[in-house]
C-alpha cells in the first residue's frame, strides 16, 4: 500500500508510509490538544526571526497572521486534522502554507520539531500546574469551611483504624488542608523548574542562524532559555515532575475518599453525603452509594500509572530526542484530566456533605478512647512513671471490658483496686470534651489550637 511521500519531510522518500506505520507514528489524534501552545510558540519564533533579520518583516507578519487564522479554525472546530501529516506541528504548518503560501516555508528556519514539541508541551504542562493550583485552592477553602463549622466537634481519632484518642472534626479537616497545601507547593516548585525555554535548541545541537533565544523565552513567559541544547530536546523531567506531584496529590485524595466511604457507611454514620454526589442501586432500594468517592479513591491507579509509564519510557533513552518520547503526552493528558475531575468531585462532596455531630460524639467515647488521658492523670497527679501509669490503666481497661462498661462508668472503688491513690478527680479527664481540650500542644487537636490554625490558613489564602 503506497501513498505519495510526506509533503513535509518526504524529499528523500519515494513512497509513502504503510498504513500501520502511519497508525503507530501519528500523534495528531492526541497532540492536537497542543494547538494553542504550538501556535503561540511559532508566533514567537517568527517574530524573533524577523527581529534578527533572518526572515523579512512582511513574511513574519504573514506567518503570524496566518497562524491566528489557523488557531481560530482549530478553536472553531473547522480544522481538518490529517493523520498523514503526523502531528500538530505539521498539521498547523501545512494549513499555514495553504493559507499564505511560500512564506510559511520560512517559519521552520532555525527550528526543529524536537525543540518545537518540547516548547509546546512545557507550555501546556506549565498551564496545567496553574489550573491544578486553582482547583486545590478551591478544595482547601471548602475544607476550611468544614473545619470552622466543627472546630470543636469531637470525633474518634484512629490508628490502625482502631479507636485511639478523641480528636476534633476541625483538626481532621485541617490535616487534609496541610496535605493539599504541600501538593500546591510541589506543583509550584515543578512549575518554577520547568519554566525555561527549549526553543532554539533546534534538532539537538543549536543552530548557525543568529537567533535570539532570550527574546523567544521572554515572549513565551519563560524565565530564561535552557542552557544545553542536547538536554533541551531530550528532557521530559517537567512532565515527570508534574506526574509525580499529581500522583502524590491523587494519593491524598484517595485516602480522603476512603475515609468518606467508611464514614458514610451505616456502621459509622459520621457524614451524610448529599444526594448530588451519591448514586442508588438498581436492585437494593435502600442504597445510597458513595460512587464519586470510590472513583476518586481509584483514580490514583491511572495517575500513578502514568507516572510509572513515562518514567519507563524515558529510562535508558540515549540523548537526545527519540520517538519513544511521543508516548509522553497521552499519559500526561490522562493524568491531568483525571486529577482535575477528582479535585472537582472532591470539592463538590466536601461542600455538600453533612457531618453527623451526634454520631461523631458518641463514637468518640467508644473503645476506651480516653485511656491515655487516664494514664496521663496518673503521671501528673500521682507522680507515677508513665510506664507504670500505662500498666495501671491497662488493668482498668481490662476491668471495664470485663464489666461491659466504659472507663467513666467504673466506680471509684474499681479505680482504686488498680491503684489506691486514685481520687474522684480522675473522672474529670475521662470525658471526651476534656480530653480534646487538654491537647493544647502546638499542632494538637484542642479546639483553641484548631481555631488558631484556621485563622492562619485564612490569612495565607487571603
Ligand atoms: N510528534 C512528535 C512528538 O510528539 C513531535 C516531534 C517529532 N520529531 C521528530 N524528529 N520526529 O514527539
Amino acid at each position: 500500500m503506497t501513498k505519495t511521500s510526506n509533503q513535509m519531510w518526504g524529499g528523500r522518500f519515494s513512497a509513502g508510509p504503510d498504513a500501520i506505520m502511519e497508525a503507530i507514528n501519528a500523534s495528531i489524534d492526541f497532540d492536537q490538544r497542543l494547538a494553542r501552545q504550538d501556535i503561540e510558540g511559532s508566533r514567537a519564533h517568527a517574530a524573533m526571526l524577523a527581529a534578527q533579520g533572518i526572515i523579512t518583516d512582511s513574511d513574519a507578519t504573514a506567518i503570524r497572521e496566518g497562524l491566528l487564522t489557523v488557531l481560530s479554525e482549530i478553536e472553531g472546530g473547522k480544522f481538518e486534522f490529517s493523520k498523514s501529516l503526523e502531528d500538530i506541528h505539521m498539521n498547523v504548518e501545512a494549513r499555514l502554507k495553504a493559507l499564505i503560501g511560500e512564506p510559511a516555508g520560512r517559519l521552520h528556519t532555525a527550528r526543529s520539531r524536537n525543540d518545537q514539541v518540547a516548547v509546546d508541551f512545557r507550555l501546556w504542562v506549565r498551564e496545567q500546574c496553574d489550573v491544578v493550583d486553582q482547583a486545590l485552592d478551591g478544595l482547601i477553602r471548602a475544607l476550611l469551611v468544614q473545619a470552622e463549622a466543627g472546630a470543636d466537634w469531637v470525633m474518634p481519632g484512629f490508628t490502625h483504624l482502631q479507636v485511639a484518642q478523641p480528636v476534633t472534626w476541625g483538626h481532621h479537616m485541617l490535616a487534609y488542608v496541610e496535605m493539599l497545601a504541600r501538593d500546591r507547593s510541589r506543583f509550584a516548585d515543578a512549575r518554577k523548574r520547568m519554566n525555561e525555554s527549549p526553543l532554539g535548541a533546534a534538532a539537538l545541537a543549536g543552530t548557525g542562524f543568529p537567533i535570539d533565544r532570550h527574546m523567544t523565552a521572554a515572549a513565551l513567559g519563560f524565565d530564561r532559555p535552557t542552557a544545553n541544547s542536547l538536554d533541551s530536546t531530550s528532557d521530559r523531567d517537567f512532565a515527570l515532575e508534574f506526574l509525580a506531584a499529581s500522583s502524590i496529590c491523587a494519593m491524598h485524595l484517595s485516602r480522603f475518599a476512603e475515609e468518606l466511604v467508611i464514614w458514610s457507611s451505616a456502621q459509622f454514620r459520621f457524614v451524610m453525603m448529599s444526594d448530588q454526589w451519591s448514586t442508588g442501586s438498581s436492585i437494593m432500594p435502600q442504597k445510597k452509594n458513595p460512587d464519586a468517592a470510590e472513583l476518586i479513591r481509584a483514580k490514583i491507579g491511572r495517575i500513578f500509572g502514568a507516572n510509572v509509564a513515562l518514567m519507563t519510557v524515558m529510562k535508558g533513552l540515549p540523548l537526545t530526542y527519540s520517538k519513544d518520547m511521543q508516548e509522553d503526552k497521552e499519559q500526561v493528558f490522562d493524568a491531568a484530566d483525571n486529577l482535575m475531575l477528582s479535585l472537582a468531585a472532591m470539592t463538590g462532596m466536601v461542600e455538600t456533605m453533612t457531618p453527623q455531630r451526634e454520631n461523631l460524639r458518641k463514637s468518640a467515647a467508644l473503645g476506651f478512647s480516653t485511656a491515655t488521658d487516664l494514664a496521663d492523670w496518673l503521671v501528673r497527679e500521682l507522680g507515677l512513671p508513665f510506664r507504670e501509669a500505662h500498666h495501671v490503666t491497662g488493668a482498668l481497661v481490662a476491668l471495664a471490658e470485663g464489666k461491659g462498661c466504659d472507663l467513666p462508668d467504673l466506680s471509684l472503688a474499681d479505680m482504686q483496686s488498680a491503684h489506691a491513690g486514685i481520687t474522684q478527680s480522675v473522672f474529670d479527664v475521662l470525658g471526651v470534651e476534656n480530653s480534646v481540650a487538654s491537647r493544647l500542644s502546638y499542632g494538637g487537636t484542642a479546639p483553641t489550637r484548631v481555631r488558631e490554625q484556621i485563622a492562619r490558613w485564612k490569612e495565607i489564602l487571603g
Side-chain angles (χ1 to χ4, degrees), residues 45 48-49 54-55 105-112 207 209 211:
H45 185 65
M48 181 278 293
L49 290 177
I54 300 167
I55 64 173
R106 301 188 186 280
L107 170 61
H108 215 51
T109 314
R111 188 178 74 169
S112 153
T207 175
F209 289 101
I211 59 172

Side-chain angles (χ1 to χ4, degrees), residues 30-31 34 117 121 325-333:
F30 48 88
D31 69 13
L34 299 177
V117 72
F121 202 27
M325 290 159 67
Q326 180 167 287
E327 289 285 308
D328 56 2
K329 285 169 249 357
E330 283 167 293
Q331 301 296 343
V332 171
F333 291 155

Side-chain angles (χ1 to χ4, degrees), residues 111-297:
R111 188 178 74 169
S112 153
R113 274 189 292 158
N114 297 349
D115 59 342
Q116 195 178 353
V117 72
V119 172
D120 297 1
F121 202 27
R122 269 192 206 228
L123 289 174
W124 194 92
V125 176
R126 184 181 75 182
E127 192 175 312
Q128 203 59 33
C129 286
D130 297 338
V131 170
V132 170
D133 185 70
Q134 269 306 303
L136 281 165
D137 180 81
L139 177 52
I140 286 173
R141 284 173 198 276
L143 285 163
L144 280 178
V145 170
Q146 285 285 357
E148 198 162 24
D152 58 357
W153 296 1
V154 181
M155 67 180 282
F158 299 91
T159 60
H160 314 266
L161 197 54
Q162 306 289 321
V163 173
Q165 294 174 349
V167 296
T168 45
W169 170 261
H171 200 48
H172 201 115
M173 293 298 109
L174 287 180
Y176 284 102
V177 170
E178 294 287 335
M179 291 180 242
L180 298 171
R182 285 197 297 276
D183 289 328
R184 288 183 83 173
S185 79
R186 262 183 285 274
F187 283 107
D189 231 31
R191 188 195 194 286
K192 219 180 289 162
R193 225 174 346 267
M194 76 179 65
N195 204 29
E196 296 185 343
S197 173
L199 191 56
L204 75 164
T207 175
F209 289 101
I211 59 172
D212 181 352
R213 296 191 58 210
H214 293 273
M215 180 181 168
T216 44
L220 295 168
F222 288 113
D223 295 330
R224 62 191 80 82
T226 50
N228 182 297
S229 64
L230 301 177
D231 178 47
S232 308
T233 50
S234 69
D235 166 45
R236 289 295 180 271
D237 289 3
F238 60 95
L240 286 165
E241 285 197 45
F242 176 80
L243 291 175
S246 297
S247 299
I248 297 176
C249 180
M251 173 273 288
H252 290 151
L253 296 179
S254 180
R255 295 182 72 172
F256 192 23
E258 164 71 351
E259 296 207 305
L260 295 179
V261 169
I262 294 173
W263 290 355
S264 60
S265 70
Q267 284 69 24
F268 272 76
R269 290 192 192 285
F270 283 6
V271 291
M272 208 157 67
M273 305 308 288
S274 75
D275 287 355
Q276 279 166 281
W277 294 100
S278 312
T279 57
S281 155
S282 53
I283 175 170
M284 297 165 284
Q286 86 284 10
K287 293 277 278 187
K288 185 166 153 186
N289 296 326
D291 292 35
E294 294 167 88
L295 287 161
I296 294 170
R297 184 172 60 184

Side-chain angles (χ1 to χ4, degrees), residues 31-44:
D31 69 13
Q32 51 181 270
R33 281 182 77 164
L34 299 177
R36 186 161 46 75
Q37 290 76 10
D38 191 69
I39 285 168
E40 214 183 308
S42 289
R43 281 173 49 83

Side-chain angles (χ1 to χ4, degrees), residues 1-3 16-25 83:
M1 197 194 313
T2 52
K3 292 203 218 161
D18 185 274
I20 303 291
M21 176 58 202
E22 186 172 284
I24 194 171
N25 196 37
K83 252 208 168 100

Side-chain angles (χ1 to χ4, degrees), residues 346-375:
M346 188 56 97
T347 305
M349 283 194 292
V350 172
E351 281 169 351
T352 56
M353 70 187 184
T354 316
Q356 304 295 293
R357 186 179 182 175
E358 271 317 299
N359 292 337
L360 289 166
R361 165 73 178 72
K362 261 187 254 155
S363 190
L366 299 176
F368 311 107
S369 68
T370 55
T372 314
D373 299 87
L374 172 51

